[in-house]
Amino acid sequence: MQKKIFFLIFLTILFLNIYSQNNEIIKKQDTNSLIKGIFYPNCVFYEIFVQSFYDTNNDGIGDIKGVVKKLDYLSNLGIQAIWLMPINPSPSYHKYDITDYCNIHPDYGTINDFKTLVKEAHKRDIKIIIDLVVNHTSSNHPWFVEASKGKGNKYHDYYVWSTDKAIFSKEPYHWHFLKDSLGNEIRDEKYYGFFWHGMPDLNYDNEELRKEIINIGKFWLKDINIDGFRLDAVRFFYPEEEIKKNYRWWQQFRREMDNVKTNFFMVGEIWGEDTVVAPFLTKGINAGFNFDLSYAIINAANKQVDNGLIEKVIKIRSLYKSYEPDFIDAIFLTNHDQDRVMSELQNNIDKAKVAASLLLTLPGSPFIYYGEEIGMRGKKPDELIREPMIWDYDNKEKGQTYWEEALYSTSRTIVPVSAQLNDSNSIFNHYKKLIGFRKKSKALTLGDIKSTDLKNINVISFYREFENESLLVICNLSKKEQIIYLSELASKYNKLVFSTKGGVEIIDNKIVVPAYANLIFKK
Ligand SMILES: [Ca+2]
Ligand SMILES: [Ca+2]
């Protein structure tokens, strides 16, 4: 008995020792990055559709080398991390149906190109995360090709099958027959493909499959040295009735990834309200994209009135906190699945600037969709919200992509990058100024948010605070100048430290805020 106790004490000491060593390593790394002002993943992200970004071999299709070539452009804008939409081999242009998880699509380049990208990005203190699309594979994936051979095959159970006719009639769009080489249906059993028959869903009850996915995660994090994942279609890993299994799977995945990398980040596409997102955050996915907030920001910029945005942010954050004290909120305006923010705002540059001002002063990790910083337009269908980035007039820039003909964003409708860089009034420079200020401010980067008692229906205002830095942010949503009467508390914030417009007047306890202006005051 005594022996057993001694042994237990020994184990405990050993464990505590290892634990504190690990903790020290983490602390050391964190301090180093904090000194350099890198708060990853609390930082500004940029979402890239490689296909449309920059082309280096003149086939009209963007590639990994093209992203390398434009790292200095992104650095100049102030970007601190990049999310690449899927880069793996796939039969589709968007590549959300993957046939090989550990390789690069030949149109985009090679795994060595990708390693160069990671190295070059890290040199510039830019982190890289990639899309991990593992709710489903392509129906051309070797696993599914094998699985289709029938029940005896090892890979059959990697996917979800059924012969239950009651289920088929309940969910007719999600269940599919296999087809033979002549295209005739093989009517033994159906497989589950939530999105369409070309994307069969993976079966996360299969332990071997889980191991494969975990190994894929480790390959990218450890061997290729990326900094995290954007997780596709998180809600669909299990059906709604088995949602707890879904939470537990992500907790397992997180634990496994924590073993190979400190300071890695997972942001999930959990398309739903805050109550849907929150449970995934408990010891699981670090952040979920805040779709509700994105609609609210665009709505405020569109209607030019305070729509209770700040109360909404505070409510969502307190819910997230109750599930996970270390939660991160991933905030954005629009992504590759939505009409572009510029089109949502009737191509009004001033409104787009207001939306950017809100995005880049609110708490969370802001994600910018490529082209938003130059005001690119686009409405569904999907191809037209993923149009080629506009670098110069009349395709003068060598790397201009042309894999599709653009309908919304051309150098005739959008002022290209080349012309915006040196125009201090451009939307590009609006983004750049805001990002530059945010990066230097711990209050904006890490601080919490509080509402104010300032009353003006056309203005959104809030406090951001961290340690001894305390800011008052004021955003005039409207096309008219607005007068704000300062309360006793607000009047203590009397140093203007940031402004997107000149002509700000402060008289006694009254501020005249120019149209569409974003102002930040310090105590
Ligand atoms: Ca190319
Ligand atoms: Ca699924």
Side-chain angles (χ1 to χ4, degrees), residues 145-422:
V145 174
E146 284 296 308
S148 306
K149 290 176 183 168
K151 276 188 186 132
N153 193 283
K154 174 193 161 187
Y155 294 96
H156 188 266
D157 194 44
Y158 274 31
Y159 294 88
V160 182
W161 304 86
S162 180
T163 51
D164 184 347
K165 291 201 173 96
I167 295 186
F168 300 161
S169 55
K170 211 175 118 203
E171 305 176 323
Y173 301 109
H174 302 319
W175 292 95
H176 318 278
F177 280 123
L178 289 170
K179 285 180 184 162
D180 64 21
S181 54
L182 299 171
N184 299 315
E185 286 175 347
I186 304 167
R187 293 176 168 268
D188 295 343
E189 54 181 354
K190 283 191 176 188
Y191 65 92
Y192 188 74
F194 179 85
F195 293 102
W196 69 296
H197 65 86
M199 292 179 175
D201 278 50
L202 288 165
N203 172 21
Y204 279 82
D205 281 338
N206 183 298
E207 283 305 319
E208 288 300 309
L209 182 268
R210 285 196 180 210
K211 266 188 223 158
E212 301 253 24
I213 302 301
I214 286 164
N215 286 338
I216 290 163
K218 288 180 176 172
F219 167 76
W220 287 101
L221 281 183
K222 202 174 151 210
D223 301 358
I224 310 296
N225 199 23
I226 65 164
D227 306 286
F229 299 107
R230 179 267 185 187
L231 308 169
D232 184 58
V234 164
R235 289 186 73 174
F236 305 109
F237 279 64
Y238 278 97
E240 206 54 40
E241 315 83 80
E242 295 179 274
I243 191 79
K244 285 193 175 146
K245 280 190 182 175
N246 200 349
Y247 305 148
R248 284 201 292 272
W249 152 247
W250 290 113
Q251 289 168 347
Q252 180 190 355
F253 188 78
R254 162 97 172 257
R255 279 195 307 275
E256 292 282 355
M257 298 306 118
D258 274 334
N259 285 337
V260 296
K261 191 150 205 151
T262 52
N263 205 22
F264 91 98
F265 178 55
M266 294 197 291
V267 52
E269 180 202 28
I270 312 166
W271 205 321
E273 291 183 1
D274 53 353
T275 48
V276 175
V277 174
F280 282 99
L281 303 177
T282 309
K283 293 182 181 153
I285 298 171
N286 307 92
F289 285 109
N290 198 332
F291 285 89
D292 273 0
L293 182 62
S294 71
Y295 311 141
I297 295 176
I298 293 174
N299 174 280
N302 230 342
K303 303 267 166 66
Q304 312 206 341
V305 292
D306 180 0
N307 56 0
L309 183 77
I310 302 311
E311 289 68 31
K312 191 179 195 80
V313 174
I314 291 169
K315 188 188 126 267
I316 293 173
R317 290 179 67 80
S318 95
L319 179 75
Y320 287 173
K321 204 170 188 174
S322 71
Y323 279 84
E324 173 58 53
D326 293 328
F327 80 95
I328 293 168
D329 195 8
I331 60 176
F332 67 104
L333 298 175
T334 49
N335 69 21
H336 64 278
D337 285 324
Q338 297 164 302
D339 288 352
R340 280 185 174 272
V341 59
M342 195 63 176
S343 296
E344 291 272 311
L345 298 174
Q346 308 92 38
N347 307 327
N348 181 324
I349 293 262
D350 289 314
K351 287 184 176 182
K353 284 181 177 175
V354 165
S357 295
L358 290 169
L359 177 73
L360 291 162
T361 50
L362 287 172
S365 300
F367 280 70
I368 297 166
Y369 181 43
Y370 83 94
E372 266 173 10
E373 79 278 23
I374 56 167
M376 275 173 63
R377 305 168 184 180
K379 285 185 186 178
K380 289 202 168 211
D382 289 346
E383 290 87 335
L384 304 181
I385 51 181
R386 304 166 184 171
E387 290 182 340
M389 179 77 177
I390 307 295
W391 295 103
D392 203 349
Y393 287 107
D394 302 320
N395 301 341
K396 265 191 291 182
E397 175 121 7
K398 248 175 103 189
Q400 179 65 47
T401 63
Y402 54 88
W403 66 276
E404 67 166 338
E405 198 179 334
L407 202 67
Y408 288 95
S409 297
T410 68
S411 63
R412 287 173 217 292
T413 56
I414 306 298
V415 181
V417 170
S418 62
Q420 293 206 25
L421 287 172
N422 298 319

Side-chain angles (χ1 to χ4, degrees), residues 55-63 107:
D55 173 25
T56 58
N57 61 347
N58 204 24
D59 61 358
I61 302 171
D63 40 54
D107 285 349

Side-chain angles (χ1 to χ4, degrees), residues 19-36:
Y19 179 78
S20 70
Q21 269 176 10
N22 268 345
N23 242 5
E24 244 156 56
I25 294 168
I26 294 168
K27 271 187 200 148
K28 248 185 216 158
Q29 283 187 342
D30 281 352
T31 331
N32 275 339
S33 3
L34 290 188
I35 288 167
K36 284 170 90 180

